[in-house]
Amino acid sequence: MDVDTFKIRLTALPFLSKSDVASYQQRVQQGRVSPETLFREAVRVNKQRKAKEILKKKREFRFMIADIGLQFWDRRSLTRLIDENTVLIRLKARAEKLVKIRERESIGKRRGRLVTFLSGLKLDQADKDKLLGRFDGGNSVQVLTQNAIALKKKKNSQAISKDREFLKNSISRIGISQPLQNGIMAKFKPGKAAVRKLIEEAKSLKKTSGKRTIDVRRGELSQLAKKLNIATNFSTRIAGVDSIEKADALKETIEKAGEKKRVDTINNEKDNLKKIVKEIGVQGAFSGSIAAIKNQLDLNTVKLDIVEASKVVLAKLSNEKNVSSNFSNPISALVFVDRLVPLKKQIEEAGLRVNTNKKQQKFEILSKNKQNFVEFVQKSTLP
């Protein structure tokens, strides 16, 4: 490396000061050290100062976001993006936006857990709606959980004596013998479903001398299978039931199959949503919400959120493609998630057509100008 090349390459090291550059240029002129050796030294100094500058920015960024509540992994991810050209104010704004996204995801997850817990308690829908309304108003999940348990205990206590009295009067009116009545009462469990079941058992005892008819049980199993949307899968097995034991076993099997179908349906919907948000480009904002879906209510809520977020993305895309006037109304009218990807493709295709038309127009203008020029030259040519 000659001296002139050394001086040129030295200017490409941005973290060297003017005095550093002057010093290296003076030393290379003296000829005591080769340009190659001096340049390696300069590169090392530049690298060290660059590293110090990046470290300084990282420390400053950590101080800037210390009080905004950013999660550890998000903070670590953003910090790793910092280099010598990073504008910290912009990175802080990105961090603040990420905090808001995480807050929305956290609220959705906590609400989903509360819905699941309340569903397990089997409270009335009105009571569940009130508790969920209090959550939306700012009450903590812990407080609402304790309130729900206390409310359930209170209602259970009130219902037990009422259910017992109702059962006693009902089986008395059916007219079975006292020993059979005592046997039914010994099986008492609180809850309308349990009471209804015992009343039906008493009716069967009255009708069949203590044995339920197989036809009744087959009908019950058929109704259950229809309710769970799996009737076609169990019609043959239901028709083959010939004992109470088989009916009880098949009922349990049908219930499990129905629950599995419900879970599979939710999982299929979740997989579909993952594909949609990936195609639209909002998977980062909804991966947590989709994973937290447990039931139809959660699913519907997340679908609505995805549609609203996708409207913003599609509006931006239509602006970029210069077709916003054609798609503002379809975007505003979006309601269902299955319309998002087709609409995005329509926007992209429309943008491609607009771009192609512009190119064609430019080509036609150039061709026309060229023809006009040729005609002008031909008319201007001397005879």
Side-chain angles (χ1 to χ4, degrees), residues 26-45:
Q26 182 179 6
R27 290 170 64 187
V28 79
Q29 291 288 356
Q30 293 173 352
R32 297 176 182 176
V33 183
S34 69
E36 288 81 3
T37 301
L38 285 174
F39 185 75
R40 285 194 295 270
E41 179 183 336
V43 169
R44 184 171 63 255
V45 171

Side-chain angles (χ1 to χ4, degrees), residues 261-273:
K261 182 174 181 178
R262 185 191 70 81
V263 172
D264 290 343
T265 299
I266 291 293
N267 288 336
N268 290 337
E269 288 279 0
K270 290 165 69 173
D271 291 339
N272 185 47
L273 290 182

Side-chain angles (χ1 to χ4, degrees), residues 132-143:
L132 290 173
R134 289 172 57 190
F135 172 83
D136 294 337
N139 285 193
S140 71
V141 172
Q142 182 178 2
V143 170

Side-chain angles (χ1 to χ4, degrees), residues 25-295:
Q25 290 178 347
Q26 182 179 6
R27 290 170 64 187
V28 79
Q29 291 288 356
Q30 293 173 352
R32 297 176 182 176
V33 183
S34 69
E36 288 81 3
T37 301
L38 285 174
F39 185 75
R40 285 194 295 270
E41 179 183 336
V43 169
R44 184 171 63 255
V45 171
N46 183 77
K47 184 177 181 181
Q48 291 172 349
R49 291 182 179 174
K50 176 182 177 181
K52 289 181 179 179
E53 177 65 19
I54 292 174
L55 182 60
K56 179 182 176 182
K57 283 194 171 188
K58 288 182 177 181
R59 289 173 178 168
E60 184 178 354
F61 178 71
R62 291 191 188 101
F63 178 79
M64 292 171 67
I65 63 171
D67 298 324
I68 69 173
L70 189 65
Q71 295 179 7
F72 170 79
W73 292 109
D74 291 334
R75 182 171 67 250
R76 181 178 180 183
S77 178
L78 291 178
T79 302
R80 287 181 172 179
L81 298 177
I82 295 175
D83 59 24
E84 69 276 13
N85 298 317
T86 300
V87 179
L88 295 184
I89 295 298
R90 294 179 181 175
L91 194 61
K92 182 186 177 184
R94 183 174 174 182
E96 291 171 341
K97 183 177 180 181
L98 193 56
V99 169
K100 293 180 180 179
I101 291 173
R102 295 292 184 255
E103 287 175 352
R104 289 196 296 269
E105 291 177 352
S106 176
I107 291 173
K109 290 178 181 178
R110 286 187 283 119
R111 198 179 197 279
R113 289 197 298 270
L114 180 59
V115 170
T116 301
F117 176 79
L118 295 179
S119 298
L121 288 182
K122 299 181 180 179
L123 291 172
D124 294 338
Q125 188 61 46
D127 292 328
K128 288 193 287 186
D129 290 342
K130 288 179 181 178
L131 290 167
L132 290 173
R134 289 172 57 190
F135 172 83
D136 294 337
N139 285 193
S140 71
V141 172
Q142 182 178 2
V143 170
L144 293 175
T145 299
Q146 294 172 352
N147 291 346
I149 293 173
L151 180 61
K152 180 64 176 177
K153 288 181 179 179
K154 179 181 179 180
K155 288 184 175 293
N156 285 347
S157 178
Q158 294 172 347
I160 286 174
S161 59
K162 184 178 179 180
D163 288 345
R164 182 183 289 276
E165 187 66 22
F166 179 81
L167 176 62
K168 183 178 179 180
N169 293 335
S170 297
I171 62 176
S172 177
R173 287 193 298 268
I174 290 172
I176 59 178
S177 64
Q178 190 60 49
L180 290 178
Q181 289 187 39
N182 295 340
I184 293 291
M185 293 302 300
K187 298 178 182 179
F188 170 78
K189 291 182 180 179
K192 293 181 179 180
V195 170
R196 283 198 300 268
K197 182 177 180 180
L198 290 175
I199 292 174
E200 290 300 322
E201 182 177 345
K203 291 178 180 179
S204 297
L205 288 172
K206 175 68 176 178
K207 184 177 180 180
T208 63
S209 300
K211 293 183 179 181
R212 295 181 179 180
T213 63
I214 298 303
D215 288 340
V216 171
R217 293 307 305 275
R218 287 174 181 168
E220 292 174 352
L221 293 174
S222 295
Q223 290 298 319
L224 177 62
K226 288 178 181 178
K227 180 180 178 182
L228 299 176
N229 295 320
I230 52 175
T232 55
N233 299 341
F234 288 90
S235 58
T236 302
R237 295 179 64 180
I238 291 173
V241 169
D242 56 5
S243 69
I244 300 300
E245 291 75 15
K246 289 183 179 179
D248 290 338
L250 185 55
K251 179 182 179 183
E252 182 177 352
T253 301
I254 291 173
E255 290 173 340
K256 290 181 179 178
E259 176 61 15
K260 183 178 183 301
K261 182 174 181 178
R262 185 191 70 81
V263 172
D264 290 343
T265 299
I266 291 293
N267 288 336
N268 290 337
E269 288 279 0
K270 290 165 69 173
D271 291 339
N272 185 47
L273 290 182
K274 290 176 183 177
K275 294 177 182 178
I276 290 174
V277 297
K278 182 178 180 181
E279 179 67 23
I280 297 299
V282 293
Q283 65 269 37
F286 288 98
S287 58
S289 300
I290 293 174
I293 293 174
K294 301 296 181 184
N295 52 46

